[in-house]
Each structure stands twice: as structure tokens, then as C-alpha cells.
Amino acid sequence: GAVVSQHPSWVICKSGTSVKIECRSLDFQATTMFWYRQFPKQSLMLMATSNEGSKATYEQGVEKDKFLINHASLTLSTLTVTSAHPEDSSFYICSATENTEAFFGQGTRLTVV
Amino acid sequence: QKEVEQNSGPLSVPEGAIASLNCTYSDRGSQSFFWYRQYSGKSPELIMSIYSNGDKEDGRFTAQLNKASQYVSLLIRDSQPSDSATYLCAVNPSRHWASYDKVIFGPGTSLSVIP
């Protein structure tokens, strides 16, 4: 299957700082990428849809000013968690689709202290 | 009503047995259905996709789809301890199977295969 690479795999940051997470499709182009968040023992929750060359589409309840998404090329989308707080600590996962099937990045474990 | 529902489990089966995982969905027009496996602390991994009514087999895995009943299942034959994971059912509500909108995930079923 297609390969989606996500970086970093884990990050610890201080409260009030910003963290950027990258998601790359390595062997295919992705006009659309998706960002999910997963809290322990819970299912994946879609945060936003990242569209190449245009604004991201956010799910209800997700603060667009806090979770900045940029999809500048067909192989790269970034999620920036701004002014992070401990409650933002979670597992963030991106995905991209090839031939109708979704493939996921490795995930980023964010811990805000 | 949740869009995709699964029994949360945990489901425990002995090694070598058949594990049966079930999923129902609410959007009758959905066309694409997926099963993902997620190990603890890891991201989901696609196991099976199914688009037509009936069965689809891949190795020890068989996906079953019944659109009239809005029901998808995954059977794992000859279950192994390495199959112990959370299994996520996912549905693409797009009206056209080749059009990817966004996938809706169920809450997942935790499977434990006992040696």
C-alpha cells in the first residue's frame, strides 16, 4: 500500500508553546489529507480535512485558530497546535487516500507539560 | 444515533478459534467499508476494504457486507495472539465508491486472543 510518513513520532512541549506536525505522502500525491486526534482508549476523531491549495475544513467543535493546517503541496500537510495546553495532549494521526483506501501516518504523541 | 457502531468488547477468543467482529452503520447510501487494525500506541493499519454485498476473503480474514441490513463484519480464522488489537470499522458515506470524502470510524472492538 501507499506510504504516509508523519513526523515527529513524539514531542513534549511546554504549555503555551506551539508544535508543528508534518504529514507526507511518500509515493503518491494527495490533494486531500485528514487529521485525527485520539485520546486513550477512545476512537479516532476527525479534526479537519486538509485541502491542497485551499483552506482546511474543520469539524464542529475544533478551533481553527488553535489547530492551524497548511497543505502547501500535493505531498505535504502540516498541523500546528498553537499555544498548547495540557488538555491538548493526545495522539495526532494524519491520513491520505490512494485509490479510495486511506493510509495513515505513524502518529504523533503530543505531551504538553 | 452514532453513525458507525461496534461492540467495544473486549472480545476474548482462544488461539485457533474464529473471531467475529461486527459493525453497523446509519447512512444507508454508504458505498465503501473498511476494517482497520490498531495496536496500542500505533496508528491504524488497513486490513480489508469491501464495496459489494457478500464476502471478501484475504488470507485468514473475511469481510462480509450486507447493505440492506447496514451491517459489516470481519471474521478472523485461526486467531493468533498477534491478532490481539483494536479493530476499527470505517465507512465512507460518499455516494460514489471512487469518491473519497471522509471516513467515519466506529469506536473499535478490542480483541484479545488467548494462547
Side-chain angles (χ1 to χ4, degrees):
Chain A
V3 179
V4 176
S5 177
Q6 190 173 337
H7 177 81
S9 57
W10 62 270
V11 58
I12 301 174
C13 71
K14 291 184 178 181
S15 185
T17 62
S18 297
V19 173
K20 179 185 285 188
I21 304 170
E22 292 186 349
C23 180
R24 295 180 184 273
S25 56
L26 295 187
D27 50 1
F28 66 103
Q29 294 182 329
T31 56
T32 304
M33 292 184 177
F34 301 85
W35 287 96
Y36 296 85
R37 180 169 53 183
Q38 186 176 37
F39 292 106
K41 299 190 184 300
Q42 295 187 22
S43 187
L44 295 167
M45 295 301 298
L46 180 65
M47 298 176 65
T49 302
S50 172
N51 305 298
E52 189 269 335
S54 65
K55 292 183 179 180
T57 305
Y58 290 83
E59 295 300 301
Q60 190 174 6
V62 177
E63 300 175 57
K64 61 179 68 177
D65 294 331
K66 180 170 185 61
F67 299 99
L68 300 180
I69 291 174
N70 184 282
H71 196 151
S73 76
L74 288 171
T75 59
L76 174 64
S77 175
T78 61
L79 168 68
T80 301
V81 183
T82 63
S83 186
H85 292 283
E87 56 266 31
D88 298 323
S89 298
S90 186
F91 192 46
Y92 291 85
I93 312 173
C94 70
S95 80
T97 303
E98 186 184 47
N99 297 329
T100 78
E101 296 178 343
F103 297 91
F104 288 85
Q106 303 94 319
T108 298
R109 177 76 57 191
L110 171 63
T111 302
V112 185
V113 298
Chain B
Q1 181 187 4
K2 292 183 179 179
E3 296 184 66
V4 181
E5 298 196 43
Q6 298 178 251
N7 291 328
S8 61
L11 172 66
S12 293
V13 299
E15 184 174 357
I18 295 175
S20 178
L21 304 164
N22 303 316
C23 172
T24 59
Y25 58 96
S26 60
D27 187 341
R28 183 171 289 278
S30 298
Q31 299 293 326
S32 309
F33 308 87
F34 310 90
W35 282 99
Y36 288 84
R37 176 175 61 196
Q38 186 177 25
Y39 292 112
S40 181
K42 302 295 184 182
S43 63
E45 169 192 14
L46 180 66
I47 299 176
M48 296 278 288
S49 57
I50 186 167
Y51 306 100
S52 304
N53 280 328
D55 296 358
K56 179 181 178 182
E57 186 175 318
D58 184 0
R60 296 187 295 113
F61 299 98
T62 299
Q64 299 174 317
L65 173 60
N66 184 325
K67 291 184 180 179
S69 301
Q70 297 174 241
Y71 175 87
V72 191
S73 67
L74 179 70
L75 300 177
I76 306 175
R77 291 181 299 280
D78 188 24
S79 296
Q80 301 297 309
S82 58
D83 294 327
S84 298
T86 296
Y87 289 81
L88 301 168
C89 172
V91 176
N92 177 356
S94 173
R95 291 298 182 268
H96 189 276
W97 72 272
S99 173
Y100 183 81
D101 185 8
K102 58 187 179 185
V103 171
I104 309 299
F105 285 88
T109 297
S110 176
L111 172 66
S112 179
V113 180
I114 311 302

